[in-house]
């Protein structure tokens, strides 16, 4: 590789096509630790690459015929407060019918959703408090959600709304793509959905109209367990 004067080796906003599931590993926060058969990162990569478009269970989250315009693994979305972006397992730009959707996909097998809000704010820094205010503003909450709610679900959803605004899509979506055969941690997702007055049902999405006029789709999609052994 030839470096031009004044240019350094850093990531750019230019993306190249994937050459297969293994190409996803390099973007993980801990590539060697997280890339394991039966765990979400590797399972998700094989599922999405095999689909050559949207996996059927993700397409079923939308009311009309779908088309995957593009997908980016481990997509980082900056959030106010702190110095860590929200790193989404997949960001997908999706067309369904005559609508477009900016979707963040959270892959799961048996891994939990991380700390609750109560745990995350147990030692609140100015940065954390600023981030929580920013997320609440995006989601239309007038106060911090209950301490039992999983923080990860908040910032993944905030990421979808930020990207929907950036790409000027008709709606945002935060979809959990779970390969757990027992729907582990579904109750946490249902508790999060209830904040919007929505009753979560596996494999059925709900569209929510936020007070600021934004449209948000939430859903839990059950993945094919065949990808757990690849």
């Amino acid at each position: 590789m030839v470096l031009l004067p004044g240019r350094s080796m850093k990531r750019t906003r230019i993306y190249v096509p994937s050459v297969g599931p293994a190409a996803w590993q390099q973007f993980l926060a801990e590539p060697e630790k997280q890339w394991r058969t039966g765990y979400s990162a590797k399972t998700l990569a094989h599922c999405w690459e095999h689909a050559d478009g949207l996996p059927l269970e993700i397409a079923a989250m939308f009311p009309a015929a779908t088309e995957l315009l593009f997908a980016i693994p481990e997509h980082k979305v900056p959030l106010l407060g702190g110095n860590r972006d929200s790193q989404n397992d997949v960001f997908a730009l999706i067309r369904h019918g005559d609508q477009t959707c900016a979707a963040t996909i959270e892959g799961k097998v048996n891994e939990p959703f991380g700390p609750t809000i109560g745990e995350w704010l147990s030692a609140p820094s100015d940065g954390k408090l600023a981030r929580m205010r920013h997320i609440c503003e995006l989601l239309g909450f007038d106060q911090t959600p209950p301490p039992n709610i999983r923080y990860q679900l908040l910032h993944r959803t905030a990421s979808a709304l930020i990207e929907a605004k950036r790409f000027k899509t008709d709606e945002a979506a935060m979809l959990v793509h779970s390969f757990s055969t027992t729907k582990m941690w579904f109750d946490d997702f249902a508790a999060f959905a209830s904040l919007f007055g929505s009753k979560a049902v596996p494999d059925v999405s709900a569209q929510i109209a936020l007070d600021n006029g934004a449209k948000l789709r939430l859903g839990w999609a059950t993945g094919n367990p065949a990808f757990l052994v690849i």
Side-chain angles (χ1 to χ4, degrees):
M1 177 181 291
V2 177
L3 289 180
L4 297 177
R7 296 297 299 273
S8 61
M9 291 287 289
K10 65 178 182 180
R11 293 188 185 275
T12 72
R13 292 183 180 272
I14 297 173
Y15 298 91
V16 296
S18 167
V19 294
W24 295 40
Q25 182 180 4
Q26 63 185 303
F27 302 113
L28 295 169
E30 299 178 280
E32 298 305 320
K33 178 180 178 180
Q34 294 175 280
W35 192 254
R36 300 167 61 187
T37 297
Y39 287 74
S40 61
K42 192 174 182 181
T43 302
L44 197 70
H46 279 277
C47 177
W48 278 69
E49 290 279 358
H50 179 81
D52 192 26
L54 283 179
L56 293 177
E57 58 271 21
I58 296 296
M61 294 288 100
F62 298 90
T66 58
E67 177 188 0
L68 176 63
L69 302 179
F70 66 77
I72 304 174
E74 302 300 327
H75 180 63
K76 294 182 180 180
V77 177
L79 294 172
L80 293 179
N83 54 14
R84 294 185 62 183
D85 298 336
S86 178
Q87 185 163 335
N88 301 273
D89 294 338
V90 180
F91 170 69
L93 194 64
I94 300 167
R95 176 173 288 278
H96 59 99
D98 62 353
Q99 304 284 296
T100 54
C101 175
T104 53
I105 312 296
E106 180 64 23
K108 290 295 177 194
V109 180
N110 294 324
E111 306 95 331
F113 286 108
T116 63
I117 291 175
E119 292 166 341
W120 188 74
L121 285 177
S122 60
S125 63
D126 289 343
K128 283 188 174 184
L129 292 173
R131 174 162 291 195
M132 183 57 68
R133 287 194 297 270
H134 178 52
I135 289 174
C136 287
E137 181 180 353
L138 287 167
L139 301 186
F141 299 151
D142 56 10
Q143 59 184 358
T144 301
N148 65 301
I149 299 297
R150 298 287 177 172
Y151 168 66
Q152 187 181 77
L153 293 170
L154 267 73
H155 68 81
R156 295 291 192 256
T157 306
S159 293
L161 290 163
I162 289 169
E163 295 303 76
K165 183 176 181 180
R166 187 161 73 100
F167 285 96
K168 296 185 178 180
T169 61
D170 298 292
E171 68 172 18
M174 195 285 290
L175 306 175
V176 176
H177 196 177
S178 171
F179 295 83
S180 169
T181 56
T182 60
K183 294 182 172 55
M184 190 171 287
W185 311 111
F186 175 77
D187 288 348
D188 283 336
F189 172 76
F192 173 69
S194 71
L195 299 178
F196 300 91
S198 178
K199 181 178 175 62
V201 178
D203 301 307
V204 177
S205 70
Q207 192 180 63
I208 299 154
L210 302 182
D211 290 342
N212 62 6
K215 294 178 181 178
L216 172 65
R217 186 177 300 275
L218 296 177
W220 174 287
T222 304
N224 186 342
F227 293 103
L228 289 168
V229 297
I230 297 177

